Structure formats: C-alpha cells, structure tokens
Amino acid sequence: MPNNSSVTIFILLGLTQDPQKQNLVFFIFLVFYGSTVVGNTLIMVTIKFSRTLGSPMYFFLFYLSLVDFCFSTSIAPRLIVDSLSTKKIISYNECMTQVFALHLFGCMEIFILIFMAADRYIAICKPLRYSAIMRRQVCVTLTVFAWTGSFIHASSQIVLLVKLPFCGPNLIDHYCCDVQPLLKLACTDTYMVNLMIVSNSGALCSCSFLILMISYFVILHSLRNHSAEGRKKALSTCSSHILVVIISFVPCIFMYTRPPTTYSVDKMVTVFYTIGTPFLNPLIYTLRNAEVKNAMRKLWNVKTMTN
C-alpha cells in the first residue's frame, strides 16, 4: 500500500491506560467476542443444514451472521491482545487494512439489512408475487451486488486516506483505526476529505436508515388488513429487524455525519457497533424467532442421535 507520509507505525491508546481496567477489558471483550463467534457460527450452521430455513429471509440472515462474524473479527482480536500490551503498535499498512475491513463489512451489513426489509415488504404487502420476485437467483444477484458495492465503498475510504500526509504525530486516541481518528493526525487541511467522507459514509448510513424506517412503517401499516395470527407473526419478525436496524445505524450516523472532531463517548459508541451489534444480532434473531430455535433444536437432536 503506497504511503504518502513519513509515518510507518501508529500507536493506539486503547480504551484505557489503567492496567487494572485493561485486565477487565481483556476479560469482558474476550467473552463478548467468543459469544459472537459461537452465536453467529451456530446461526450459519443451522441455516446451512436445516431444510426448514430455505426462504430468502434466512438466506440473507446467513450472510448477516457471516458479516457480523467477519466485522467483529476485524476489530475484537486486536483489542483483546492490545489490552495486555503496554505499547499498542500497529503498522501503517495494518491500520489501513483495518479501516478497509471495517467499512467493507459495515457497508455489507447495511445492504443485507435493506434486502431483509425488502424481503419482508414483499412477503407481507405482495404475498401473491413473493415467490416470483424473491427467487434464489435474485437473492444471489443481490448478494453479489452488495459485496461489489461494499468493496467500492471501502476502497473509496482508503483512497482518501492514503493521499493524506502523516508527518509527525502517530498517537491514535482510539482502540482501532478508523477515518475520524486518522484525520486528526494528518499534516494538512482535511476539510474537503471530511466533507467527502460525510457525503459517502454519512449519507450511506442516514439515507439507508431513513429508507428502512419508512419501509417498516409501510409494512406495519399494512398489517391492519391481516388476521390476528398473521399480524402477530409479522410483528415478531419485523420488531426484531427494526431493533437490529436501530442499534446498527444510530451509532453509524453519530460517527460519520459530523465534522472531524472527537468526543469522550466516541470509543464507547464505536464499541457498541463494532463489538456490541455483532454480539446482539444472534441473540435477537434466535430469541425472537421460533423457526430458528426449532431448527437449532432439530439439528442438535440429529447430531446427538448420530453421535
């Protein structure tokens, strides 16, 4: 990766400088990351091998779990290891790779949530045309489009960053590399770069959130024409999706729709959407989804009987 600066390494300050608190950070995030890996892997395995979870909604849920797994893995392991280190050094190339991964998987999650909302809209509002519209080929095409769009988005962030000169300060007041902390270290005026980032990442988060909330409002409004049992099932599914949308997008909007300034809550907000959201998604989709829980029980029983 071309380096347009004299800085070859960055030093992460982490979540805290207190040794005792660092031990606590190690334990807490090791538990969170371990639970995230187990939860998302369990969902992926269940969907992959269950015959009852073959609908488009679970096709997209599989990729949401995959993205959450990758998203968390791009951040959490380094945070866990660094919590035991006195000096948290990350190379320039590793830092840029982390930024790329963060935006690649973050953007992919946005696309998947939009596809899941579209799937629910068609299933509830256009039930007679559902099987014709949401064909397997359409789902695969949408997924390929999402990966392509996410790659372009992440690449655009890297293109903006590698053009910036870093000529002196290399202390990143964060536990990971991201656009906003790096802009503070650049030895040049970053107004235009920040404007482009806001118009890219910020607009992506804000517009997607608005589209999703409008779509779910339309879905919930249309439920008044359904039976009581149909409303209950649809509300259970949609409420889970809405909860995931809120916890995914609100921190994203907070971080990427503002001037290049830092606040004391930035680290905790970043923790929430890089560590918390991938941890919570499996819980939300399993605890509130009877079909997934039943499929897991059946799969576990089959495995037990086989052994």
Side-chain angles (χ1 to χ4, degrees):
M1 188 176 295
N3 187 347
N4 190 32
S5 68
S6 57
V7 172
T8 57
I9 63 168
F10 294 103
I11 299 175
L12 298 167
L13 296 183
L15 284 174
T16 178
Q17 301 296 307
D18 188 325
Q20 291 184 341
K21 290 182 179 179
Q22 285 187 340
N23 292 332
L24 185 62
V25 166
F26 171 81
F27 175 75
I28 291 175
F29 289 103
L30 182 63
V31 172
F32 267 75
Y33 178 62
S35 302
T36 299
V37 170
V38 172
N40 284 293
T41 301
L42 186 58
I43 288 180
M44 288 188 286
V45 170
T46 301
I47 294 173
K48 184 69 176 179
F49 293 101
S50 175
R51 296 180 180 179
T52 60
L53 302 180
S55 67
M57 182 177 74
Y58 297 111
F59 175 88
F60 292 128
L61 179 57
F62 174 89
Y63 280 98
L64 181 65
S65 295
L66 175 62
V67 168
D68 280 335
F69 176 91
C70 296
F71 192 34
S72 182
T73 300
S74 67
I75 301 295
R78 183 167 197 100
L79 170 61
I80 295 168
V81 173
D82 282 348
S83 64
L84 300 178
S85 306
T86 54
K87 203 169 187 180
K88 307 164 181 59
I89 298 174
I90 184 171
S91 71
Y92 179 92
N93 286 346
E94 287 175 330
C95 187
M96 295 302 162
T97 301
Q98 192 173 63
V99 173
F100 180 84
L102 192 151
H103 284 269
L104 174 70
F105 298 122
C107 184
M108 184 65 184
E109 180 154 337
I110 290 175
F111 277 119
I112 295 299
L113 291 174
I114 290 174
F115 297 157
M116 292 177 78
D119 173 76
R120 290 301 84 202
Y121 171 80
I122 297 169
I124 295 171
C125 301
K126 310 284 183 181
L128 298 179
R129 300 182 58 192
Y130 180 76
S131 58
I133 297 174
M134 297 303 295
R135 302 187 309 275
R136 187 76 173 186
Q137 184 179 0
V138 173
C139 295
V140 172
T141 302
L142 288 174
T143 305
V144 172
F145 170 81
W147 280 116
T148 304
S150 300
F151 181 84
I152 293 172
H153 165 73
S155 299
S156 68
Q157 305 301 294
I158 297 301
V159 168
L160 291 175
L161 287 178
V162 297
K163 291 182 178 180
L164 294 176
F166 299 98
C167 54
N170 65 344
L171 292 176
I172 300 178
D173 188 15
H174 218 299
Y175 66 88
C176 67
C177 289
D178 199 5
V179 175
Q180 294 290 3
L182 287 171
L183 287 181
K184 287 187 63 181
L185 302 182
C187 305
T188 186
D189 182 17
T190 59
Y191 175 80
M192 289 305 299
V193 175
N194 185 73
L195 189 63
M196 287 187 281
I197 289 171
V198 169
S199 63
N200 187 331
S201 299
L204 178 65
C205 293
S206 301
C207 294
S208 299
F209 180 72
L210 183 61
I211 291 170
L212 284 166
M213 295 311 294
I214 291 174
S215 67
Y216 280 116
F217 175 79
V218 173
I219 291 171
L220 295 176
H221 185 263
S222 69
L223 290 178
R224 56 192 175 87
N225 299 323
H226 289 65
S227 63
E229 184 178 350
R231 283 199 300 269
K232 183 179 179 181
K233 184 177 180 181
L235 280 171
S236 177
T237 303
C238 289
S239 60
S240 300
H241 291 196
I242 292 172
L243 182 58
V244 170
V245 167
I246 291 173
I247 65 176
S248 298
F249 280 87
V250 171
C252 174
I253 292 171
F254 174 79
M255 293 300 297
Y256 296 110
T257 57
R258 67 182 208 215
T261 54
T262 56
Y263 300 101
S264 58
V265 297
D266 282 359
K267 293 181 184 180
M268 295 313 301
V269 172
T270 307
V271 164
F272 191 77
Y273 76 85
T274 58
I275 310 294
T277 300
F279 167 77
L280 290 172
N281 282 354
L283 295 176
I284 293 170
Y285 280 110
T286 53
L287 295 179
R288 297 184 59 84
N289 192 309
E291 289 182 337
V292 174
K293 287 189 290 186
N294 291 335
M296 285 182 177
R297 291 192 194 101
K298 290 179 181 179
L299 183 66
W300 180 256
N301 290 335
V302 169
K303 295 288 185 182
T304 304
M305 293 173 61
T306 303
N307 294 333

Short mmCIF file of all heavy atoms in Angstrom, two decimals, residues 66-98:
data_model
loop_
_atom_site.label_atom_id
_atom_site.label_comp_id
_atom_site.label_asym_id
_atom_site.label_seq_id
_atom_site.Cartn_x
_atom_site.Cartn_y
_atom_site.Cartn_z
N LEU A 66 -22.62 -14.03 8.80
CA LEU A 66 -21.27 -14.10 8.26
C LEU A 66 -20.57 -12.76 8.35
O LEU A 66 -19.40 -12.66 8.76
CB LEU A 66 -21.31 -14.57 6.80
CG LEU A 66 -19.97 -14.58 6.04
CD1 LEU A 66 -18.99 -15.55 6.69
CD2 LEU A 66 -20.19 -14.94 4.57
N VAL A 67 -21.29 -11.70 7.98
CA VAL A 67 -20.72 -10.36 8.03
C VAL A 67 -20.43 -9.94 9.47
O VAL A 67 -19.38 -9.35 9.75
CB VAL A 67 -21.68 -9.35 7.36
CG1 VAL A 67 -21.26 -7.91 7.65
CG2 VAL A 67 -21.72 -9.58 5.85
N ASP A 68 -21.35 -10.25 10.40
CA ASP A 68 -21.12 -9.93 11.80
C ASP A 68 -19.88 -10.64 12.34
O ASP A 68 -19.10 -10.08 13.10
CB ASP A 68 -22.34 -10.31 12.64
CG ASP A 68 -23.44 -9.27 12.56
OD1 ASP A 68 -23.13 -8.11 12.28
OD2 ASP A 68 -24.62 -9.62 12.79
N PHE A 69 -19.73 -11.89 11.93
CA PHE A 69 -18.56 -12.67 12.34
C PHE A 69 -17.28 -12.00 11.83
O PHE A 69 -16.32 -11.80 12.59
CB PHE A 69 -18.67 -14.09 11.77
CG PHE A 69 -17.48 -14.97 12.04
CD1 PHE A 69 -17.42 -15.75 13.18
CD2 PHE A 69 -16.41 -15.00 11.16
CE1 PHE A 69 -16.31 -16.56 13.44
CE2 PHE A 69 -15.30 -15.80 11.40
CZ PHE A 69 -15.25 -16.58 12.54
N CYS A 70 -17.25 -11.64 10.57
CA CYS A 70 -16.06 -11.01 9.97
C CYS A 70 -15.83 -9.61 10.53
O CYS A 70 -14.68 -9.21 10.78
CB CYS A 70 -16.22 -10.95 8.45
SG CYS A 70 -16.30 -12.56 7.63
N PHE A 71 -16.92 -8.86 10.71
CA PHE A 71 -16.83 -7.49 11.23
C PHE A 71 -16.19 -7.49 12.62
O PHE A 71 -15.24 -6.74 12.89
CB PHE A 71 -18.23 -6.89 11.28
CG PHE A 71 -18.27 -5.41 11.52
CD1 PHE A 71 -17.28 -4.58 11.04
CD2 PHE A 71 -19.32 -4.84 12.23
CE1 PHE A 71 -17.32 -3.20 11.24
CE2 PHE A 71 -19.38 -3.47 12.44
CZ PHE A 71 -18.37 -2.65 11.96
N SER A 72 -16.69 -8.36 13.48
CA SER A 72 -16.15 -8.45 14.83
C SER A 72 -14.71 -8.94 14.83
O SER A 72 -13.87 -8.45 15.60
CB SER A 72 -17.03 -9.39 15.67
OG SER A 72 -16.57 -9.47 16.99
N THR A 73 -14.40 -9.89 13.95
CA THR A 73 -13.06 -10.46 13.88
C THR A 73 -12.03 -9.43 13.40
O THR A 73 -10.85 -9.52 13.74
CB THR A 73 -13.05 -11.69 12.96
OG1 THR A 73 -13.95 -12.67 13.50
CG2 THR A 73 -11.66 -12.31 12.85
N SER A 74 -12.46 -8.47 12.61
CA SER A 74 -11.53 -7.45 12.13
C SER A 74 -11.14 -6.44 13.21
O SER A 74 -10.18 -5.69 13.05
CB SER A 74 -12.15 -6.69 10.93
OG SER A 74 -13.27 -5.92 11.35
N ILE A 75 -11.89 -6.44 14.33
CA ILE A 75 -11.64 -5.46 15.39
C ILE A 75 -11.30 -6.11 16.73
O ILE A 75 -10.31 -5.76 17.38
CB ILE A 75 -12.88 -4.55 15.59
CG1 ILE A 75 -13.23 -3.81 14.30
CG2 ILE A 75 -12.63 -3.55 16.72
CD1 ILE A 75 -12.20 -2.83 13.83
N ALA A 76 -12.12 -7.06 17.16
CA ALA A 76 -12.05 -7.58 18.53
C ALA A 76 -10.73 -8.27 18.90
O ALA A 76 -10.19 -8.00 19.98
CB ALA A 76 -13.23 -8.52 18.79
N PRO A 77 -10.19 -9.19 18.06
CA PRO A 77 -8.95 -9.87 18.47
C PRO A 77 -7.81 -8.91 18.80
O PRO A 77 -7.08 -9.13 19.78
CB PRO A 77 -8.62 -10.75 17.26
CG PRO A 77 -9.94 -11.01 16.62
CD PRO A 77 -10.70 -9.73 16.80
N ARG A 78 -7.65 -7.87 17.99
CA ARG A 78 -6.57 -6.92 18.26
C ARG A 78 -6.85 -6.15 19.55
O ARG A 78 -5.93 -5.89 20.33
CB ARG A 78 -6.42 -5.96 17.09
CG ARG A 78 -5.27 -5.01 17.33
CD ARG A 78 -4.83 -4.22 16.14
NE ARG A 78 -3.51 -3.70 16.44
CZ ARG A 78 -2.36 -4.21 16.01
NH1 ARG A 78 -2.36 -5.28 15.23
NH2 ARG A 78 -1.21 -3.69 16.34
N LEU A 79 -8.10 -5.78 19.78
CA LEU A 79 -8.45 -5.09 21.03
C LEU A 79 -8.14 -5.97 22.23
O LEU A 79 -7.60 -5.49 23.24
CB LEU A 79 -9.94 -4.73 21.01
CG LEU A 79 -10.55 -4.21 22.32
CD1 LEU A 79 -9.86 -2.93 22.77
CD2 LEU A 79 -12.04 -4.00 22.16
N ILE A 80 -8.44 -7.25 22.14
CA ILE A 80 -8.19 -8.19 23.24
C ILE A 80 -6.70 -8.35 23.50
O ILE A 80 -6.25 -8.29 24.65
CB ILE A 80 -8.85 -9.56 22.92
CG1 ILE A 80 -10.37 -9.41 22.87
CG2 ILE A 80 -8.43 -10.61 23.93
CD1 ILE A 80 -11.09 -10.61 22.29
N VAL A 81 -5.92 -8.54 22.43
CA VAL A 81 -4.47 -8.71 22.57
C VAL A 81 -3.83 -7.41 23.08
O VAL A 81 -2.97 -7.43 23.97
CB VAL A 81 -3.84 -9.14 21.24
CG1 VAL A 81 -2.32 -9.13 21.33
CG2 VAL A 81 -4.33 -10.52 20.84
N ASP A 82 -4.26 -6.28 22.52
CA ASP A 82 -3.67 -4.99 22.92
C ASP A 82 -3.95 -4.64 24.37
O ASP A 82 -3.19 -3.88 25.00
CB ASP A 82 -4.19 -3.87 22.02
CG ASP A 82 -3.52 -3.85 20.65
OD1 ASP A 82 -2.51 -4.56 20.49
OD2 ASP A 82 -4.00 -3.14 19.76
N SER A 83 -5.05 -5.17 24.91
CA SER A 83 -5.38 -4.86 26.31
C SER A 83 -4.34 -5.42 27.27
O SER A 83 -4.26 -5.00 28.43
CB SER A 83 -6.77 -5.39 26.66
OG SER A 83 -6.81 -6.81 26.58
N LEU A 84 -3.53 -6.39 26.80
CA LEU A 84 -2.47 -6.97 27.62
C LEU A 84 -1.10 -6.36 27.30
O LEU A 84 -0.10 -6.75 27.91
CB LEU A 84 -2.41 -8.49 27.42
CG LEU A 84 -3.67 -9.27 27.79
CD1 LEU A 84 -3.47 -10.75 27.50
CD2 LEU A 84 -4.03 -9.06 29.26
N SER A 85 -1.06 -5.42 26.34
CA SER A 85 0.21 -4.83 25.91
C SER A 85 0.37 -3.43 26.49
O SER A 85 -0.60 -2.68 26.61
CB SER A 85 0.28 -4.76 24.39
OG SER A 85 0.06 -6.04 23.81
N THR A 86 1.59 -3.09 26.83
CA THR A 86 1.85 -1.74 27.34
C THR A 86 1.92 -0.74 26.20
O THR A 86 1.56 0.43 26.36
CB THR A 86 3.17 -1.72 28.13
OG1 THR A 86 4.22 -2.24 27.31
CG2 THR A 86 3.04 -2.57 29.39
N LYS A 87 2.41 -1.19 25.03
CA LYS A 87 2.51 -0.31 23.86
C LYS A 87 1.80 -0.97 22.69
O LYS A 87 2.21 -2.02 22.21
CB LYS A 87 3.97 -0.04 23.52
CG LYS A 87 4.18 1.25 22.74
CD LYS A 87 5.66 1.61 22.66
CE LYS A 87 5.84 2.99 22.02
NZ LYS A 87 7.27 3.36 21.94
N LYS A 88 0.73 -0.34 22.26
CA LYS A 88 -0.14 -0.93 21.24
C LYS A 88 0.26 -0.38 19.86
O LYS A 88 -0.26 0.65 19.42
CB LYS A 88 -1.60 -0.64 21.56
CG LYS A 88 -1.98 -1.07 22.98
CD LYS A 88 -3.28 -0.44 23.41
CE LYS A 88 -3.66 -0.82 24.82
NZ LYS A 88 -2.67 -0.46 25.85
N ILE A 89 1.18 -1.05 19.20
CA ILE A 89 1.73 -0.57 17.93
C ILE A 89 1.02 -1.27 16.77
O ILE A 89 0.81 -2.48 16.79
CB ILE A 89 3.24 -0.83 17.84
CG1 ILE A 89 3.97 -0.06 18.95
CG2 ILE A 89 3.78 -0.45 16.47
CD1 ILE A 89 5.44 -0.37 19.02
N ILE A 90 0.64 -0.49 15.76
CA ILE A 90 0.05 -1.03 14.55
C ILE A 90 0.73 -0.36 13.35
O ILE A 90 0.92 0.86 13.34
CB ILE A 90 -1.49 -0.81 14.51
CG1 ILE A 90 -2.11 -1.45 13.27
CG2 ILE A 90 -1.84 0.67 14.60
CD1 ILE A 90 -3.63 -1.47 13.30
N SER A 91 1.12 -1.14 12.37
CA SER A 91 1.81 -0.58 11.21
C SER A 91 0.84 0.21 10.33
O SER A 91 -0.38 0.05 10.44
CB SER A 91 2.47 -1.69 10.39
OG SER A 91 1.48 -2.47 9.72
N TYR A 92 1.40 1.03 9.48
CA TYR A 92 0.60 1.84 8.56
C TYR A 92 -0.30 0.95 7.71
O TYR A 92 -1.51 1.19 7.58
CB TYR A 92 1.52 2.67 7.67
CG TYR A 92 0.82 3.54 6.66
CD1 TYR A 92 0.47 4.86 6.95
CD2 TYR A 92 0.49 3.05 5.39
CE1 TYR A 92 -0.18 5.66 6.02
CE2 TYR A 92 -0.15 3.85 4.45
CZ TYR A 92 -0.48 5.14 4.77
OH TYR A 92 -1.13 5.93 3.84
N ASN A 93 0.28 -0.11 7.12
CA ASN A 93 -0.50 -1.00 6.25
C ASN A 93 -1.57 -1.75 7.02
O ASN A 93 -2.70 -1.93 6.53
CB ASN A 93 0.42 -1.99 5.54
CG ASN A 93 1.21 -1.34 4.42
OD1 ASN A 93 0.91 -0.22 4.00
ND2 ASN A 93 2.24 -2.01 3.94
N GLU A 94 -1.25 -2.20 8.23
CA GLU A 94 -2.24 -2.89 9.05
C GLU A 94 -3.38 -1.95 9.42
O GLU A 94 -4.55 -2.35 9.44
CB GLU A 94 -1.59 -3.43 10.33
CG GLU A 94 -0.68 -4.63 10.11
CD GLU A 94 0.03 -5.04 11.38
OE1 GLU A 94 0.32 -4.16 12.22
OE2 GLU A 94 0.31 -6.24 11.53
N CYS A 95 -3.04 -0.70 9.69
CA CYS A 95 -4.05 0.30 10.04
C CYS A 95 -5.01 0.53 8.87
O CYS A 95 -6.24 0.53 9.05
CB CYS A 95 -3.35 1.60 10.43
SG CYS A 95 -4.47 2.87 11.08
N MET A 96 -4.47 0.69 7.68
CA MET A 96 -5.31 0.90 6.51
C MET A 96 -6.16 -0.34 6.19
O MET A 96 -7.30 -0.23 5.76
CB MET A 96 -4.45 1.28 5.30
CG MET A 96 -3.74 2.62 5.45
SD MET A 96 -4.91 3.97 5.75
CE MET A 96 -3.81 5.24 6.40
N THR A 97 -5.58 -1.51 6.42
CA THR A 97 -6.33 -2.76 6.20
C THR A 97 -7.50 -2.84 7.17
O THR A 97 -8.60 -3.29 6.79
CB THR A 97 -5.41 -3.98 6.39
OG1 THR A 97 -4.33 -3.90 5.46
CG2 THR A 97 -6.17 -5.28 6.16
N GLN A 98 -7.30 -2.41 8.40
CA GLN A 98 -8.37 -2.44 9.39
C GLN A 98 -9.49 -1.47 9.00
O GLN A 98 -10.68 -1.79 9.13
CB GLN A 98 -7.84 -2.10 10.78
CG GLN A 98 -8.82 -2.39 11.89
CD GLN A 98 -8.22 -2.20 13.26
OE1 GLN A 98 -7.82 -1.10 13.63
NE2 GLN A 98 -8.16 -3.28 14.05
#
